[in-house]
Structure formats: C-alpha cells, structure tokens
Amino acid sequence: STVPSTVPSTVPSTVPSLSAKYDKKAKYDEKWYCIFNLMKKYKRQNGNCSVPYRYVENGINLGQWAGYQRMLKRKKSLLKHREDALRKIDFPWYVDNPKAANAGKDALWKRMFNLMKKYKSENGNCNVPTNHVENGRRLGRWASRQRFFKNANSLRKDREYALQEIGFQWESYRRNALPHMPCEIKWYGWLNLLKKYKSLHGNCEVP
C-alpha cells in the first residue's frame, strides 16, 4: 500500500529542537540575573532591597520587577534558584509593612539629595533647571517637588532642614513645575494653601 499524500513523509524543519528550547530558557535566566544584579546594586547603595514601585535603574523598572517576583512567590511559581538568590540578599517578600515601604522611599529621597549636593558642588548653587537630568535622574523635577511640598506645608521637617543646610533656594519655585506633579498631589497642595489663606483671612474668598 502507498502512503497517503496528506501524511508528510518527513519531519517538518520547523519543529524546534530540544537544544533550542534550552537555549531559550538560558536566555531568560540570563536576563533575570541581569536585573537581579541591579537589585544587588540598589542594596549596596541604599542598604536594603525595599525598592519603590516606580523606581527605574538603567531603563529597567526595578520596582515593578520586584513586585512581579513577590507575585510569583505567592503563586508558588517562582523558580527555586531565583527565590534562593533573592533570599540571600534579604529581599523583602511583603511590602505591606509601612517601615519597609518608608525605608525604600527614604533611600530614594537621600539618593536624590546626594545628587543635589553633587550639582551644587559642580555649579555653586542649587538652582537646577526643571528639565535637568543628573545620572539618569530628573533632578530638576525633584527640586520643584520639594519647593512645592514646602509651600504646601507638607515637606517633612528633617528633609527641609537638610536642604536648608546645603543652601537650597526655596524662592526658585515656579508655577511651570506644577504640570509635572501627579494630579492628586497638586490638588491637595492647593487645598493646603487655601486652608492657610482661610486661617489668615477668615474666609476662602481669594481675590
């Protein structure tokens, strides 16, 4: 009997080989460890692995990556060798702890503050243009936020004093910094200013 014409007589060349499958797995592992090294670098610089959710390092959103690792662990889908690697650097598996979350935010603020000190040492002042970027960080926008928070009476005192110590210019605040703020922050900032106006004038009838 003859072989039906609808049945192929040879194995199609498009079927992936086992070696190709393992090569793909190795490629994913290599990428994972590249990002893992960014996490180790973050820990060296900040003393912990509590990365803020929107923190970006070398074009990688490290905060989101950290959140994804936590989700995989909760679903018991995180590969054991990856979980072990994260455990060795004291990676926090839970971020609902306010202390851990605040530690990450404080570390990021201190890093930006150090960039501001560096800017001053190189330029003689802290008048950073709004669009200025330092070491990949938007230092100008960060400076505008500190002025805005102080003007809205919502800047922490220890941060205000630290900036005051290096001669940070509060009067450099400009309205054009506002579009860069998240809408909710702007709204509450203006609300605090309105409260301040009412405490001084007894009403909210702003000219």
Side-chain angles (χ1 to χ4, degrees), residues 54 138 141-142 144-146 148-149 152 154 173 175-191:
R54 297 185 181 181
R138 294 175 175 176
R141 292 187 182 183
W142 180 84
S144 295
R145 287 190 186 98
Q146 308 316 301
F148 178 82
F149 291 143
S154 55
Y173 174 82
R175 285 180 181 269
N176 62 9
L178 287 176
H180 305 305
M181 308 280 181
C183 292
E184 192 175 357
I185 293 176
K186 287 194 290 183
W187 191 90
Y188 280 104
W190 287 121
L191 177 64

Side-chain angles (χ1 to χ4, degrees), residues 54 108-109 112 116 128 130 137-156 159 163 168 170 172-174 176-183 185-186:
R54 297 185 181 181
L108 182 58
W109 193 91
M112 296 302 295
M116 178 60 75
V128 188
T130 304
R137 304 288 169 201
R138 294 175 175 176
L139 187 61
R141 292 187 182 183
W142 180 84
S144 295
R145 287 190 186 98
Q146 308 316 301
R147 295 184 181 105
F148 178 82
F149 291 143
K150 183 179 186 298
N151 205 45
N153 293 324
S154 55
L155 182 64
R156 274 172 36 182
R159 294 180 177 180
L163 288 166
F168 188 78
W170 301 108
S172 296
Y173 174 82
R174 294 289 181 269
N176 62 9
L178 287 176
H180 305 305
M181 308 280 181
C183 292
I185 293 176
K186 287 194 290 183

Side-chain angles (χ1 to χ4, degrees), residues 58-128:
N58 289 8
I60 301 292
N61 193 318
L62 195 57
Q64 286 187 7
W65 180 85
Y68 185 61
Q69 307 312 303
R70 294 184 184 103
M71 183 197 72
L72 289 176
K73 186 177 186 302
R74 283 197 305 271
K75 293 184 175 182
K76 299 185 178 178
S77 306
L78 184 61
L79 296 176
K80 188 177 184 308
H81 69 280
R82 294 181 179 179
E83 182 178 340
D84 290 343
L86 288 165
R87 198 180 300 281
K88 283 179 182 176
I89 62 170
D90 298 319
F91 182 81
W93 297 110
Y94 303 98
V95 291
D96 52 349
N97 183 341
K99 289 184 179 178
N102 288 336
K105 291 177 182 178
D106 279 349
L108 182 58
W109 193 91
K110 286 175 184 174
R111 187 171 183 182
M112 296 302 295
F113 176 71
N114 287 333
L115 288 179
M116 178 60 75
K117 289 201 294 184
K118 178 187 173 190
Y119 180 91
K120 185 185 179 183
S121 69
E122 294 172 350
N123 298 277
N125 61 65
C126 296
N127 287 324
V128 188

